């Protein structure tokens, strides 16, 4: 089955960060923050301008929406196309959504030229992202599963093989747990649950939604 790009995984910022480069004595400081609206993005940009009130330029870009529907950037006085767009290209190339990145420049006295500015703002934006902690967002379902005590061991093994953690497990006369499963794995997993429990397990399926699957640290440890 082919799934539309609109359901593709994407990344978010878990913890913002700050990166910095120096090019011919000009300092380029990149600050990154997760945001959920244009108002938040603009508020962060204004806060950075106040923090570095004596800097010459505060160039920025932000990407909002699960599919990156809202894109904005500004050169803030730098030559057109040398700052905001390179920052935006770094953001869109990273696959990260719902974030704003501001690169503050303290002029060092030497002109860098258009090519030099593009390289400097690109590298600064990359340094800012490298200082952040990211997580992956996956489109899928929440399953609530109820089984007997004979079936829980089989299902724990089954889910473990797929790398799907059990959540909110309760033990009464039956065992009930919640798990989240990616869109493309739902049908196969439900079939395996049915087969593993000889059709005795009860499964409730939520409407599809985006959920956080793994942080970058967890992906690195599992990979």
């Amino acid at each position: 089955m082919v799934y539309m790009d609109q359901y593709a995984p994407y990344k978010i910022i878990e913890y913002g960060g700050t990166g910095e480069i120096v090019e011919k004595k000009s300092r380029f400081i990149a600050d990154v923050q997760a945001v959920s609206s244009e108002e938040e993005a603009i508020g962060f940009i204004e806060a950075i301008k106040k923090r570095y009130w004596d800097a010459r330029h505060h160039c920025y870009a932000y990407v909002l929406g699960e599919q990156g529907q809202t894109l904005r950037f500004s050169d803030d006085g730098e030559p057109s196309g040398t700052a905001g767009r390179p920052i935006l290209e770094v953001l869109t190339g990273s696959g990260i959504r719902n974030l704003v990145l501001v690169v503050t420049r303290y002029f060092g006295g030497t002109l860098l030229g258009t090519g030099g500015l593009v390289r400097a703002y690109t590298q600064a934006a990359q340094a800012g992202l490298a200082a952040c902690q990211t997580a992956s967002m996956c489109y899928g379902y929440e399953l609530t599963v109820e089984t007997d005590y004979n079936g829980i061991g089989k299902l724990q093994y089954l889910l473990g093989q797929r790398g799907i953690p059990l959540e909110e497990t309760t033990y009464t006369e039956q065992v009930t747990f919640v798990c989240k499963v990616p869109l493309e794995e739902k049908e196969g997993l439900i079939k395996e649950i049915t087969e593993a429990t000889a059709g005795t397990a009860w499964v409730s399926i939520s409407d599809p939604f985006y959920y956080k699957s793994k942080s970058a640290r967890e992906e690195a440890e599992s990979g």
Side-chain angles (χ1 to χ4, degrees), residues 73-113:
F73 64 88
S74 171
D75 293 311
D76 192 36
E78 293 282 31
S80 179
T82 62
R85 184 169 292 279
I87 296 169
L88 180 63
E89 289 176 353
V90 171
L91 298 189
T92 55
S94 72
I96 304 174
R97 307 282 189 266
N98 297 321
L99 80 163
V100 57
L101 192 155
V102 184
V103 178
T104 298
R105 182 189 182 189
Y106 283 94
F107 184 56
T110 302
L111 295 176
L112 301 182

Side-chain angles (χ1 to χ4, degrees), residues 188-201:
L189 178 59
I190 292 176
K191 181 180 178 182
E192 291 181 1
I193 290 173
T194 301
E195 292 175 350
T197 61
T200 61

Side-chain angles (χ1 to χ4, degrees), residues 31 35 50 72 85 110 118 124-125 128 171 173 194 197 206 213 223:
D31 288 282
V35 291
K50 290 179 181 178
R72 300 283 186 272
R85 184 169 292 279
T110 302
V118 170
Y171 295 87
E173 292 183 1
T194 301
T197 61
S206 74
S213 56

